[in-house]
Amino acid sequence: MTYTIGLDYGSNSVRCVIVDTSNGNEVGTAVFNYPTGNAGIILDANDHNVARQNPTDYIEGLEVTIKDAIEEAKILPDEIVGIGVDTTGSTPLPIDKDGTPLGLLDEFKDNPNAMAWLWKDHTGYGEAAEITELAEKEHPEYLAKCGGTYSSEWFFSKILHCLRVDEKVFDAAFTWVEHADYMTALLTGTTNPKEIKRCRCAAGHKAMFNDSWGGYPDKAFLAKLAPKLGKLRDALGDETYAIDTVAGNLTKEWADKLGLKEGVPVAMGAFDAHLGAVGSGIKEGALVKIIGTSTCDMVAAPNKTKLADVPGICGIVDGSVLPGYFGLEAGQSAVGDIFNWFVNYIQTGGKETGDHIALTEKAEKLRPGQSGLLALDWNNGNRTVLVDQRLTGLLLGQTLHTRPEEIYRALIEATAFGALTIINRFEEYGIKIKEVINCGGIAEKNPMLMQIYADITGKEMKVSRSSQTCALGSAIAAAVVAGKAKGGYNNFADAQDAMTGVREITYKPIAENQKVYQQLYKLYKQLHDAFGTVGYGSPLYDVMKDLLSIKEKANA
Amino acid sequence: MTYTIGLDYGSNSVRCVIVDTSNGNEVGTAVFNYPTGNAGIILDANDHNVARQNPTDYIEGLEVTIKDAIEEAKILPDEIVGIGVDTTGSTPLPIDKDGTPLGLLDEFKDNPNAMAWLWKDHTGYGEAAEITELAEKEHPEYLAKCGGTYSSEWFFSKILHCLRVDEKVFDAAFTWVEHADYMTALLTGTTNPKEIKRCRCAAGHKAMFNDSWGGYPDKAFLAKLAPKLGKLRDALGDETYAIDTVAGNLTKEWADKLGLKEGVPVAMGAFDAHLGAVGSGIKEGALVKIIGTSTCDMVAAPNKTKLADVPGICGIVDGSVLPGYFGLEAGQSAVGDIFNWFVNYIQTGGKETGDHIALTEKAEKLRPGQSGLLALDWNNGNRTVLVDQRLTGLLLGQTLHTRPEEIYRALIEATAFGALTIINRFEEYGIKIKEVINCGGIAEKNPMLMQIYADITGKEMKVSRSSQTCALGSAIAAAVVAGKAKGGYNNFADAQDAMTGVREITYKPIAENQKVYQQLYKLYKQLHDAFGTVGYGSPLYDVMKDLLSIKEKANA
């Protein structure tokens, strides 16, 4: 028997699964909750935009979870033929000339700016706007491949913001690497920052990397944002690698620590959503939705067909999901987070009236349209298709008779309307979505939500067989770099065929619900366009932004 | 010593106060909670628009409270020189040819349509639209005096709706009278419906009564809405009476029942808000805000000056509040009701996070603008200045960090923005508001709310000395009909001077708060106009209405 290891670094914990390469079964699994900060995230009470992570947690989690998972799997270390890693992103961290994260150094160990800047850190929203503005003027092609707007969640926004607010950290960094690339460098003993292999998916989707303009953005372009950012360009290199590439081989040191064989191949890392799509069986015509606190929507389109740039989509990157395909990434900035917010803070009545179970039980008895409520799903901004962090939530239609379960359902419906808006955008640009494969706890556990998604999008909702598609995707990448001769596979198609699948239960659109939701979506779209786009013929576009400005002044 | 009785019929209970005519002190008080229905209101689980009351409760409450209040006051029945009554309204009830409410008859005692149609019954919204449409075409002057739109809360909307849904009840009624007029008829033994004196305030504000067109609307006009409604016109008579008029004298039967002297004068009744304004010391330049579950705003302008019709104001009626003055009535359909809704249903965390006290404690620590939230105060529609029941609530600006106290404060601010919109409307039409006198439990108990009202409206907020201004106003009317010779007064000015006052504590606008709120009000006004008015250049006006249509279909 042969197995691979899939490591999945999430926002609050890291998970390791040991996967049977013959059928994708998870034979061992272990989770490590990051000990630092608030559920693994370093926050700032005075600035809701801050979200950092301690790299120490990443390293500790590596050791603990691999050992525990192997023990649970009751297999021989020799049977493990490859390792794959996925992480959140864009989550860049500054490293010194020896490849050590600054956050591990005594000098910086208490400085949040020296830590990993978690994907949902939005402190660089001003810098994101600057980058967008400059690119619009000088390099519109940079933006065309990432949806037309550079986001505060992305690589250069964060690094530039660090330079602006903590130059000492910036200066101490030899370069910045994505969390995923740091992990593969660590496991393969790549301490020279110039030799660290950078993954295609992070570079292409979040750092404006594209072969058509020679890799990362032009040095002069970056220098215009800040001279020191221009200098950093040299430390980024010109190469990136897709997930069918070997990042390197496991060092003796780590092999000994983990009880594994020295030299086991480590696959190039990738973002959780990308490998989650692989683990869900992504292929042409399928949209994979990874539904969690936020949602990632992944699409793969053959790279032999000509593809239009799709405005508002987070990226179109050759080889970012599967070799031979353009990977397209879209997403919603908050999904589960919105439901959790409502349950944890707004309706705190508990078991009787206010937990997820109680609210779901009552909400599923409601018919579409019955509550008279309509919400926008922008409590954490809008990632796709508006690419605007400075948007906020909206709830409309409440009366004195409105009950919590109606609001709860309206919030779920809002996320489904957001999902439909993304699907429509893909289809408007010629990428037909034939099926939707969902994964994540919400998709597995909430049939009401899945049915609402089917009714609102008009697409059959399938659910991925694995509960850990990201980790499974990493294990699949590991199986491919191991190769068929070692018990793995020679390509992703074969590996996915054997190792992935969907569950028996699927959710088909119900015609009468669809009819009502089509009416509601028209209204959603009116609100969406009025508050989210300029030139709609009303001044409402400014309302959310003005409110945020007033709020920031009041908090200053 | 001389005393008068003030009876105040509210939405859930009736209150009786015994008032010292020399200084307005309340020496005895008693409350009777209506036993029928849900806190005195007959509801319909399938139709949120239904709100009826059982006239039996009115009669029982009369007897219980007067006796209890006299006992508490420890005074001699001989010392009582007058009785005054206020009620909610428009709250019409059908009566038969003997002056008996149909709801008291065996045949109809279980039929909600035969009961009193409480002010907040909105079942006649369709009929209200019909009446408005017909009046716009044929008698625009009818609408000009009641703000341009006839409301579903008013007299003819309800009667016409009854005719449409329960013709048997309509046919059994000789006529319909307002609750206030029924009470004075009962106490004075006026059983012939044609002799029942109708109060100016109800007729003028809610039933399109105006001397300039000969009283109630034209018979032909009503007949066009429904022939039987035209016939009803004859049973309404052509006279109405202001509160300085004696309705009649207490009958022997009721004097014996209540332990009072036969023949005590009973003043004409009026709506609670109107007599509340009197009890708050209304005069030229003062706006009286009666803040409760909803809010009434009352203004008195000398009837010698020419007054423009004020669009969106519920009525301009000569003598409806004070003799010699035009009474102007405006209001907000929900104020305390919105806060109660949030606390009773949405944030039910109780003492820790969710009751009024906990939320107020946290909310008062917030600075204006700090939450980034903005709400519309339309959870029960908009009475002034839009006069549109088919509007709903809106909350905007929420993020994943939004906390309940922020929403609570935003809801309070929304009602203050609504209050400012009303003040602005008065002032735009030449009625200068020099001071605001507030009354009601919320005004007395919530300094944070009063300060927010001062900061948002830019007006000093005073609070009425009496906690029971409506009942006090009734007692003042009673003192005026008693006359000076009997220990009362010859006019309202003298009676108000002696019997009303404001508290020492007042709330002055704080300049730095005002500055922020002026910015927020601009945004509120944008939402208000976009969702509440046609022709704003955006299709959003339809969103709330379309949602309600979808909701009604889903509930059908």
Side-chain angles (χ1 to χ4, degrees), chain A residues 109 115 168 237 310 359 467 497 507 518:
Chain A
K109 73 178 169 30
M115 302 293 164
K168 215 173 146 194
V310 188
L359 288 167
S467 294
D497 272 353
Y507 303 86
Q518 279 159 9

Side-chain angles (χ1 to χ4, degrees), chain A residues 144-166:
Chain A
K145 295 290 172 209
C146 62
T149 309
Y150 197 79
S151 162
S152 61
E153 292 188 358
W154 298 350
F155 196 68
F156 289 115
S157 302
K158 286 167 170 165
I159 297 172
L160 183 55
H161 186 70
C162 179
L163 170 57
R164 297 267 166 78
V165 298
D166 198 340

Side-chain angles (χ1 to χ4, degrees), chain A residues 29 37 84 108 122 216 325:
Chain A
T29 180
F108 292 113
H122 291 147
Y216 285 103
Y325 291 82

Side-chain angles (χ1 to χ4, degrees), chain B residues 66-196:
Chain B
I66 291 184
K67 277 160 116 175
D68 285 358
I70 290 177
E71 199 179 313
E72 190 194 284
K74 297 192 194 357
I75 58 162
L76 299 172
D78 276 9
E79 295 175 301
I80 289 175
V81 298
I83 299 174
V85 188
D86 69 82
T87 67
T88 68
S90 173
T91 302
L93 58 162
I95 58 173
D96 70 8
K97 61 175 174 26
D98 304 317
T100 306
L102 300 190
L104 302 187
L105 304 176
D106 262 359
E107 188 186 350
F108 292 114
K109 72 178 169 36
D110 297 319
N111 184 344
N113 298 324
M115 301 294 165
W117 293 48
L118 189 62
W119 65 274
K120 63 176 160 182
D121 186 290
H122 291 148
T123 49
Y125 67 84
E127 286 76 11
E130 261 182 77
I131 295 169
T132 299
E133 202 188 341
L134 186 66
E136 272 169 357
K137 231 186 314 177
E138 308 207 342
H139 288 283
E141 71 278 15
Y142 291 176
L143 297 179
K145 296 289 171 211
C146 62
T149 309
Y150 197 79
S151 162
S152 62
E153 292 188 357
W154 298 350
F155 197 69
F156 290 114
S157 301
K158 287 167 169 165
I159 298 172
L160 183 55
H161 187 69
C162 178
L163 170 59
R164 296 269 166 77
V165 298
D166 198 339
E167 198 161 353
K168 215 172 145 194
V169 166
F170 184 92
D171 289 343
F174 180 86
T175 188
W176 290 66
V177 291
E178 283 286 345
H179 178 194
D181 298 330
Y182 172 67
M183 296 320 302
T184 54
L186 181 72
L187 288 166
T188 61
T190 317
T191 53
N192 180 347
K194 290 195 170 179
E195 288 171 10
I196 292 177

